[in-house]
Amino acid sequence: MDMLMIQLEKDSATPLYEQLYEEIKKGIIEGTIAVQTKLPSKRKLSEFLSISQTTVELAYAQLIAEGYITSKSRVGFFVEAIEELAYVEKTTSQQMIKTTKKHKILIDFNPGKIDTSSFPFTTWRKYAKDAIDDHKQDLLLIGSPQGEQELREQIASYLYQSRGVLCSPEQIVIGSGTEQLLPMIMKLLGEDNLYAIENPGYALTHHIFSQYNQSVIPIDVDEDGMQIQQLEGSSAKVAYVTPSHQFPTGAVLSASRRAQLLNWAAQEEERYIIEDDYDSEFRYIGKPIASLQGMDHRGKVIYISTFSKSLMPSLRIAYFVLPEKLLTRYHDIFTYYTSTVPRFEQHMLTQFMKDGYFSKHLNRMRKIYRKKLEKLTQALDPYAPTVSISGEQAGMHVVLTVRKEMSATDLSNIALQQGIRIIPIKEYMIAPTAQNREDQFLLGFGGIEEAEITNTIQKLMDCWRIRRTAD
Ligand SMILES: Cc1ncc(COP(=O)(O)O)c(C=O)c1O
């Protein structure tokens, strides 16, 4: 056989050698490559398919190991006679992966993306290098289960200055993400609790609460945040809220509702509020909104936040602040667990904060995201009133309302066919809400280059056939 005509997908997640091996194996099993056929030499096949010789070598080695071909020294590779086998078709899940891969994501409005081009790698590297060079031997040992004392001191002082959170480092518990800390809070608050959650709300919390068999009561959200009246009418014991920047609507919990919420919690001993302050660092309009925790005088708020937005989601460092009265319970339950965050990373972050780089980074990123938001608003302006945005005071996403005779799901699918990922708000709902959000989308802009924003919005509008009404 002179050559093998094989289609390889160079940008597939499956390595090339594996694709090549699979295709030849399939040919042998199906009989399209006959027994005793001499396969092309490694050099010829690599040139023909424009791949490296190593790739061919690896594929041939695998076929030899599995008995599909043999190698005759200085002669070549030959197909072996094998028992008749039904070729196992790719499984449904593999087919599904292929189908989603068909829609390669070229533009991603996913709200979880941050700007990666402005990260201070040089400074971060210095702290990583220092941690190793300084032979910090104690970092090789297990640290405090609550997280490093020094990091908790830095977080306490940052929270006081920027969020009005009043706490001592002893009240802080560091863990590898909100998703890992929430189950700890659930354990602290006791089995069989009843949680009120925002609807629409952070999808992961819906998921976590149900995985841990906790009952949830969805509470509607409007332009002033969670509707506390609805909460008051429910039998919930704990309310999970994102008051500074409701996820995903972007609403800010109004001052009167904040007071109402705190009063609701004060009415019963076991009532608590979980305040998720995930992206409060990035506020563009008006004064920063102080935390609920800072307004609470009865020890009813468990404050939780993360470095996922302010630094990077891959760092996996988040923390919660417990009211003093829950500390004994925390120590009783969690004393025997070790921290889930590596000590070297905690040490690096401590130094980064101590030397003022965290604040510098936040100031810089705030400017960058503000510019991106301005660009986004300008880019969408000519398409009004068919489209409009809300929730643009803070964070790295806005809510896009699209007035078209088509459902958000259909519009989202149309966009996906063009390689654009944009998620309808209704995907964040766990029950129907009084307010119709059928025409709303979550538009994350953090991960899109500023220079690309106008272009990406134009592509989105073009694929939805929305024309400019003004220039
Ligand atoms: C509401 C909310 N809470 C928390 C987080 C961060 O979670 P983690 O700390 O697990 O990265 C996010 C991230 O997008 C979020 O949207």
Side-chain angles (χ1 to χ4, degrees):
M1 176 176 265
D2 270 352
M3 221 22 85
L4 277 170
M5 193 54 222
I6 287 173
Q7 294 287 342
L8 300 176
E9 283 180 44
K10 295 207 169 160
D11 51 4
S12 155
T14 312
L16 285 176
Y17 87 85
E18 207 176 306
Q19 294 181 42
L20 184 59
Y21 149 82
E22 283 287 353
E23 289 299 317
I24 299 177
K25 183 168 99 174
K26 188 175 177 202
I28 295 172
I29 293 171
E30 288 179 342
T32 48
I33 308 176
V35 175
Q36 290 308 325
T37 302
K38 183 179 177 208
L39 295 182
S41 74
K42 287 182 275 186
R43 184 184 54 79
K44 277 194 184 156
L45 189 58
S46 72
E47 278 170 9
F48 182 68
L49 296 176
S50 299
I51 53 177
S52 75
Q53 274 201 48
T54 318
T55 304
V56 183
E57 208 166 293
L58 284 170
Y60 280 8
Q62 187 65 29
L63 290 164
I64 292 171
E66 291 180 19
Y68 290 99
I69 62 173
T70 47
S71 158
K72 289 189 187 148
S73 179
R74 277 187 255 276
V75 187
F77 298 91
F78 294 87
V79 174
E80 281 284 279
I82 52 159
E83 298 243 337
E84 228 173 83
L85 280 175
Y87 185 75
V88 184
E89 272 301 325
K90 292 216 183 301
T91 63
T92 323
S93 66
Q94 276 169 312
Q95 276 163 357
M96 269 169 62
I97 292 167
K98 273 215 147 145
T99 329
T100 29
K101 260 198 266 157
K102 256 204 294 190
H103 303 299
K104 201 170 161 210
I105 304 298
L106 305 169
I107 299 172
D108 199 352
F109 291 112
N110 183 339
K113 300 256 166 172
I114 59 155
D115 182 298
T116 53
S117 59
S118 317
F119 186 75
F121 279 104
T122 317
T123 315
W124 196 253
R125 190 184 61 184
K126 172 186 150 24
Y127 291 114
K129 193 169 168 296
D130 286 356
I132 309 274
D133 287 356
D134 295 350
H135 296 272
K136 294 260 175 217
Q137 292 183 11
D138 61 317
L139 292 183
L140 300 176
L141 305 172
I142 297 277
S144 157
Q146 266 181 260
E148 297 295 288
Q149 169 74 20
E150 276 196 303
L151 179 55
R152 286 185 280 124
E153 282 166 12
Q154 287 304 316
I155 293 173
S157 119
Y158 160 73
L159 287 180
Y160 176 64
Q161 285 164 28
S162 65
R163 307 294 307 122
V165 170
L166 297 162
C167 70
S168 69
E170 282 60 45
Q171 289 169 258
I172 299 179
V173 176
I174 294 167
S176 60
T178 307
E179 61 189 35
Q180 186 266 337
L181 292 171
L182 271 178
M184 282 175 87
I185 296 176
M186 283 177 214
K187 227 178 161 112
L188 268 177
L189 297 182
E191 305 287 314
D192 301 326
N193 239 322
L194 202 47
Y195 287 84
I197 56 173
E198 297 166 324
N199 186 36
Y202 184 34
L204 197 77
T205 49
H206 303 171
H207 193 65
I208 294 176
F209 284 119
S210 72
Q211 271 198 344
Y212 284 80
N213 296 323
Q214 303 287 337
S215 311
V216 293
I217 302 177
I219 307 285
D220 283 10
V221 167
D222 61 21
E223 53 287 348
D224 285 331
M226 183 188 256
Q227 295 186 9
I228 309 300
Q229 230 180 337
Q230 239 184 62
L231 171 71
E232 288 166 339
S234 78
S235 44
K237 285 268 183 282
V238 184
Y240 164 88
V241 277
T242 48
S244 307
H245 187 225
Q246 202 275 328
F247 188 91
T249 65
V252 175
L253 193 69
S254 67
S256 63
R257 285 198 186 169
R258 279 165 192 257
Q260 228 182 320
L261 178 59
L262 289 167
N263 287 337
W264 166 83
Q267 279 161 25
E268 277 182 36
E269 180 63 23
E270 285 302 305
R271 280 191 187 167
Y272 282 98
I273 299 163
I274 303 174
E275 175 181 23
D276 184 348
D277 210 21
Y278 68 106
D279 72 353
S280 55
E281 290 84 4
F282 303 115
R283 181 151 198 91
Y284 315 112
I285 300 166
K287 277 202 313 173
I289 294 162
S291 66
L292 261 183
Q293 199 270 7
M295 292 170 70
D296 170 33
H297 303 293
R298 294 187 173 94
K300 287 291 180 183
V301 177
I302 301 169
Y303 177 93
I304 182 163
S305 194
T306 179
F307 287 97
S308 287
K309 299 277 185 185
S310 54
L311 268 180
M312 58 186 124
S314 65
L315 185 64
R316 306 315 301 143
I317 302 188
Y319 49 88
F320 59 69
V321 178
L322 287 178
E324 282 188 15
K325 62 180 172 191
L326 284 178
L327 282 179
T328 321
R329 223 187 276 181
Y330 166 79
H331 290 299
D332 287 347
I333 303 177
F334 293 104
T335 310
Y336 301 106
Y337 291 82
T338 42
S339 171
T340 51
V341 185
R343 289 188 76 196
F344 275 94
E345 266 73 10
Q346 293 192 56
H347 178 75
M348 283 155 61
L349 179 56
T350 307
Q351 300 308 315
F352 188 77
M353 291 180 90
K354 217 179 202 169
D355 295 346
Y357 286 106
F358 183 55
S359 312
K360 269 190 209 151
H361 179 64
L362 288 181
N363 288 339
R364 187 150 170 255
M365 294 316 295
R366 203 174 291 116
K367 282 183 197 141
I368 290 173
Y369 290 130
R370 178 181 282 132
K371 275 198 187 154
K372 286 190 181 189
L373 180 60
E374 277 166 17
K375 261 275 164 64
L376 186 76
T377 317
Q378 281 164 13
L380 286 163
D381 253 4
Y383 300 97
T386 314
V387 301
S388 61
I389 58 169
S390 55
E392 70 275 36
Q393 305 92 332
M396 287 124 116
H397 73 264
V398 295
V399 172
L400 181 75
T401 303
V402 181
R403 293 168 192 90
K404 276 279 250 181
E405 295 294 307
M406 226 185 252
S407 76
T409 312
D410 287 346
L411 288 171
S412 158
N413 286 335
I414 291 172
L416 194 61
Q417 272 155 22
Q418 303 300 315
I420 305 174
R421 175 163 39 204
I422 179 160
I423 308 168
I425 290 281
K426 66 176 183 189
E427 292 195 13
Y428 298 88
M429 287 182 183
I430 51 165
T433 54
Q435 187 174 345
N436 176 17
R437 297 187 185 273
E438 184 52 47
D439 53 358
Q440 292 187 333
F441 294 86
L442 204 156
L443 192 77
F445 57 86
I448 301 176
E449 289 292 318
E450 192 196 324
E452 286 300 314
I453 288 181
T454 313
N455 203 9
T456 54
I457 291 298
Q458 195 179 327
K459 283 191 177 138
L460 181 66
M461 295 298 124
D462 286 351
C463 86
W464 285 344
R465 295 182 197 283
I466 297 177
R467 311 254 170 269
R468 288 165 170 264
T469 45
D471 267 310

